[in-house]
Amino acid sequence: MKPNPTRSALILIDMENGFVSPQGGHCIRNALATVPACVRAVETARSKGIPVFFVKRIYRADGSDVELTRYAAWKAGGRACTPASQGPNSAQAPEGLRPQPGDYTIIKPRWSAFFQTELDLILRRLDVRTVLLAGTTTPNCVRTTCYDAIALEYNTIILTDCCSSQTEEIQRVNLEDMGRAGAVLMDSAAFEAFSPETAADLSAAIREEMLASAAVPEPFSPGPGDTGWTDWW
């Protein structure tokens, strides 16, 4: 394992044939065009010692773990991304987006890469403070992963040319929403200059401010007969 001075990780979501290939049952119209940028980001991450997480969705052949809102489309689309599947409707990744020794693979059961997976546990073990998100689709899996990452106190960056939606308008408004929620928007070219100073550690800055403050976490009045802190809520 290389040193990771940026304390970051690249999380690539659902770049599988079933979502990327025009013949895939869950084809995202603009996903195929992002493959070169995603490959560029993966290569950049590896060169910088940034761990790469390939997050995949693999559906059981009987459909027992397919999202209830996707089940009908999954059947109609040829039951995409089943275990050991091959070809344009499979869980196989495009060339250049396949794990190499030192990479991580996460199988997720729902939209977010964090939901009921070991992703958060491994990131914390690796002392990761910043996550860079890429993959498809922007309004579903990338966006839910973004909001979970922010909720879990990760500094969150979206690689804008490495994620995709069915239309340019959907892509635009979802990127803007994630930006308003606090995510940093960056493209793969800017990522090549990524350094430990690029992403501010917001949680660490808040902690330092708290340590320097005399404020207490809850209202408290210790005197006899005074209102107790629980009565202040």
Side-chain angles (χ1 to χ4, degrees), residues 9-13 53 55-56 106-124 128-133 140-158:
L10 174 63
I11 300 174
L12 186 72
I13 302 171
F53 287 76
V55 179
K56 298 174 66 72
I106 301 288
I107 308 299
K108 64 183 175 68
R110 288 294 182 262
W111 313 114
S112 172
F114 288 100
F115 182 77
Q116 294 188 3
T117 74
E118 67 272 46
L119 178 59
D120 181 53
L121 182 153
I122 297 174
L123 292 175
R124 294 186 189 280
V128 166
R129 295 296 309 125
T130 298
V131 293
L132 300 113
L133 306 185
N140 293 342
C141 299
V142 173
R143 182 167 173 155
T144 55
T145 301
C146 168
Y147 290 164
D148 279 352
I150 292 172
L152 290 165
E153 294 274 302
Y154 290 102
N155 309 301
T156 304
I157 296 172
I158 310 298

Side-chain angles (χ1 to χ4, degrees), residues 15 17 20 32 35-36 38-39 43 92-98 100:
M15 292 300 286
N17 287 341
V20 174
L32 185 61
V35 169
C38 289
V39 172
E43 291 174 349
Q92 290 180 310
E95 192 68 40
L97 297 179
R98 297 169 187 171
Q100 295 182 4

Side-chain angles (χ1 to χ4, degrees), residues 27-197:
C27 176
I28 306 304
R29 191 174 305 149
N30 293 314
L32 185 61
T34 68
V35 169
C38 289
V39 172
R40 178 181 185 179
V42 167
E43 291 174 349
T44 297
R46 288 174 179 149
S47 71
K48 291 178 178 290
I50 296 173
V52 179
F53 287 76
F54 292 91
V55 179
K56 298 174 66 72
R57 189 69 176 94
I58 298 179
Y59 293 112
R60 296 179 187 274
D62 66 353
S64 56
D65 60 350
V66 178
E67 295 91 344
L68 61 90
T69 54
R70 176 176 273 170
Y71 185 76
W74 177 76
K75 286 199 303 179
R79 297 175 180 256
C81 302
T82 53
S85 53
Q86 298 182 3
N89 205 26
S90 71
Q92 290 180 310
E95 192 68 40
L97 297 179
R98 297 169 187 171
Q100 295 182 4
D103 299 333
Y104 292 84
T105 297
I106 301 288
I107 308 299
K108 64 183 175 68
R110 288 294 182 262
W111 313 114
S112 172
F114 288 100
F115 182 77
Q116 294 188 3
T117 74
E118 67 272 46
L119 178 59
D120 181 53
L121 182 153
I122 297 174
L123 292 175
R124 294 186 189 280
R125 176 61 57 84
L126 297 178
D127 196 29
V128 166
R129 295 296 309 125
T130 298
V131 293
L132 300 113
L133 306 185
T136 198
T137 64
T138 303
N140 293 342
C141 299
V142 173
R143 182 167 173 155
T144 55
T145 301
C146 168
Y147 290 164
D148 279 352
I150 292 172
L152 290 165
E153 294 274 302
Y154 290 102
N155 309 301
T156 304
I157 296 172
I158 310 298
L159 296 181
T160 56
D161 60 333
C162 297
C163 53
S164 52
S165 304
Q166 291 287 20
T167 70
E168 293 299 328
E169 179 67 5
I170 292 172
Q171 178 77 353
R172 181 185 66 81
V173 297
N174 278 275
L175 289 175
E176 289 178 356
D177 275 350
M178 287 187 283
R180 280 188 286 267
V184 174
L185 306 182
M186 175 188 300
D187 64 17
S188 59
F191 178 43
E192 292 184 344
F194 191 76
S195 72
E197 291 74 39

